[in-house]
Structure formats: structure tokens, C-alpha cells
Amino acid sequence: MTIDTAAALVLVVDDSADAAESLALVLELEGFRTLTAHDGRSALDRIGQERPDAVLLDLGLPDLDGVEVGRRIRALADGDGILIVALSGHGGQDDLAATRAAGFDAHLVKPVDPGRIVALLGAPRGPAADPGTPIAATWSKTR
């Protein structure tokens, strides 16, 4: 499964409003529709109002950390259909293990070239996806 860029809605979640808005602008220039949120609770509220196709999620959020937000997204009735990508300055082995266990599709370590994000958003997902993508970590889903 790939995300159709022309119709895809991407939620960018980062406690830095400038970072979230800048990335959203880059994605819009690439043809994506975007939403932004600056904390975990707001992100979950946005997902409840408008189901995004993908969520780019900072891990160091001020209320709920990004790993918990990712877990809650996966627990939603249609949560398995949402691409979840950690986009964080945290990239140690414990961070990678936590995002993988929470059901994230990939974990990118900042700073990230926006082109890599765009490529990941359009990459095939599911059991047939190539898990060897050399980003920080990308996992093939078997759900």
C-alpha cells in the first residue's frame, strides 16, 4: 500500500510550532494536505476530527510523549491504516525499540532531509514493503 500524494492528509506533530509549520509547508509544496499539532493531546484530538493518512510524530512532546501517542493511534479502530513515523532528535537503541514496540512504521532522526520524508510517505507499506530502507529504521508491517 502507498499513500496517494494528491489526496493524502498528513498530521505533523512537533512541540516546536516553527518546525511543524515548516515541515507542513514543505509537504504542501509536494502535494500533500497537512494538519499540525503541538502536543500529544491535540494530536489525538485532530486524529479524532479528521483521520490522517500519515502522522509525523515528535517523541519529546510536553504532555503525552510521542511513543504513547503512537500507541493510542494504533489502538484506534482504524489505527492500523495510519502510517506513523517518529520524527525526533531521540535515536538511541532504546528509542528505536520503543517506537517499534508501539507500532510505528518508521523512526527518523532529526535533522532529516525533507526529501527523505516525502520518499517515505510515498513508499510501499505492508508485508511486501522493503524493510531495508536505510533511513534510521523502517519496519515492514505484518498486521
Side-chain angles (χ1 to χ4, degrees):
M1 172 169 85
T2 59
I3 293 177
D4 178 7
T5 304
L9 179 60
V10 179
L11 173 60
V12 180
V13 185
D14 198 308
D15 58 324
S16 167
D18 289 341
E21 299 301 328
S22 296
L23 181 53
L25 179 60
V26 168
L27 294 173
E28 288 170 8
L29 291 172
E30 292 292 333
F32 294 95
R33 295 178 302 126
T34 64
L35 302 168
T36 59
H38 308 296
D39 60 65
R41 292 188 201 294
S42 297
L44 292 170
D45 288 345
R46 297 300 302 258
I47 292 167
Q49 296 165 1
E50 300 181 62
R51 185 201 172 278
D53 299 291
V55 178
L56 301 177
L57 187 55
D58 185 21
L59 298 183
L61 299 173
D63 55 357
L64 299 172
D65 70 47
V67 174
E68 180 59 25
V69 174
R71 271 191 206 102
R72 291 185 186 193
I73 293 168
R74 283 291 178 241
L76 297 172
D78 60 349
D80 279 346
I82 299 173
L83 176 74
I84 306 173
V85 178
L87 186 59
S88 180
H90 304 282
Q93 290 304 313
D94 290 344
D95 302 306
L96 295 172
T99 55
R100 184 171 190 174
F104 282 65
D105 294 285
H107 187 128
L108 305 178
V109 179
K110 294 177 184 177
V112 179
D113 179 333
R116 294 181 97 179
I117 296 169
V118 170
L120 180 62
L121 290 173
R125 295 178 55 214
D130 176 12
T133 304
I135 296 179
T138 304
W139 300 283
S140 177
K141 292 287 188 198
T142 56
R143 300 182 182 171

